[in-house]
């Protein structure tokens, strides 16, 4: 019997509406889709073709500062997927962007860009902790990760 390959890590799947997000991330930029209609301008996440506020199909991508705060988190153990077993326990955080408080993004709190999702001890996680976006390749895709903001 042939050796089994390890299960792959989960990576984002870009659709037509979300592709620009991942293209900007690959350049180290955190951008959020917004309505380009001057009378509206609402940010929206997840990306979609039509503004839920004014029904406009005009879109732009606004650059964010990357500053956020931890809105929620979980520390899975044991991991739900076999590919994550080597990282357990690890964190999954939901952050709320400082410049877009209704926008929340999922990711991992890490010690530095590219660090594994278990690089921050679970006891250091705090709701409300200030974080900053960093970018790293994960499974062939550049994704935002989060590091604690220096005071």
């Amino acid at each position: 019997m042939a050796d089994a390959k390890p299960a792959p890590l989960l990576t984002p799947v870009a659709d037509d509406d979300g592709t620009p997000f991942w293209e900007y991330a690959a350049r180290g930029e955190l951008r959020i889709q917004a309505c380009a209609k001057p009378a509206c301008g609402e940010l929206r996440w997840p990306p979609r073709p039509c503004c839920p506020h004014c029904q406009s199909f005009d879109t732009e991508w606004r650059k964010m500062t990357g500053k956020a705060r931890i809105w929620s988190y979980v520390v899975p153990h044991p991991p739900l997927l076999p590919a994550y077993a080597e990282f357990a326990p690890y964190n999954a955080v939901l952050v709320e962007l400082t410049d877009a408080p209704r926008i929340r993004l999922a990711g991992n709190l890490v010690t530095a860009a590219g660090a594994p999702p278990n690089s921050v001890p679970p006891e250091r996680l705090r709701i409300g902790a200030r974080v900053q976006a960093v970018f790293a390749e994960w499974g062939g895709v550049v994704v935002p990760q989060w590091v604690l903001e220096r005071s």
Side-chain angles (χ1 to χ4, degrees):
M1 186 159 114
D3 291 332
K5 287 185 175 180
L9 298 173
L10 292 176
T11 55
V13 176
D15 60 11
D16 289 343
D17 299 313
T19 293
F21 176 83
W22 301 110
E23 290 171 345
Y24 287 118
R27 293 190 271 185
E29 294 181 18
L30 183 64
R31 290 189 181 242
I32 298 295
Q33 188 186 47
C35 179
K37 187 175 179 183
C40 181
E42 288 286 328
L43 293 167
R44 57 184 185 252
W45 187 261
R48 49 195 173 271
C50 180
C51 176
H53 303 282
C54 73
Q55 288 70 52
S56 172
F57 285 91
D58 297 334
T59 296
E60 64 185 9
W61 287 84
R62 292 200 193 136
K63 189 172 184 177
M64 302 286 115
T65 63
K67 295 183 182 302
R69 68 178 190 87
I70 296 177
W71 190 80
S72 186
Y73 68 89
V74 65
V75 179
H77 29 177
L80 303 175
L81 298 169
Y84 290 82
E86 70 180 274
F87 301 116
Y90 61 93
N91 67 74
V93 297
L94 191 61
V95 303
E96 184 175 67
L97 299 180
T98 302
D99 31 8
R102 294 184 316 209
I103 305 294
R104 297 184 184 121
L105 303 175
N108 302 105
L109 183 65
V110 295
T111 55
N118 63 354
S119 61
V120 173
E123 59 273 10
R124 294 208 47 214
L125 297 168
R126 297 281 182 269
I127 301 290
R130 295 176 194 268
V131 296
Q132 176 68 45
V134 293
F135 296 88
E137 185 177 331
W138 185 259
V141 178
V142 175
V143 298
Q145 295 180 305
W146 305 93
V147 295
L148 289 169
E149 197 174 82
R150 306 264 189 253
S151 49

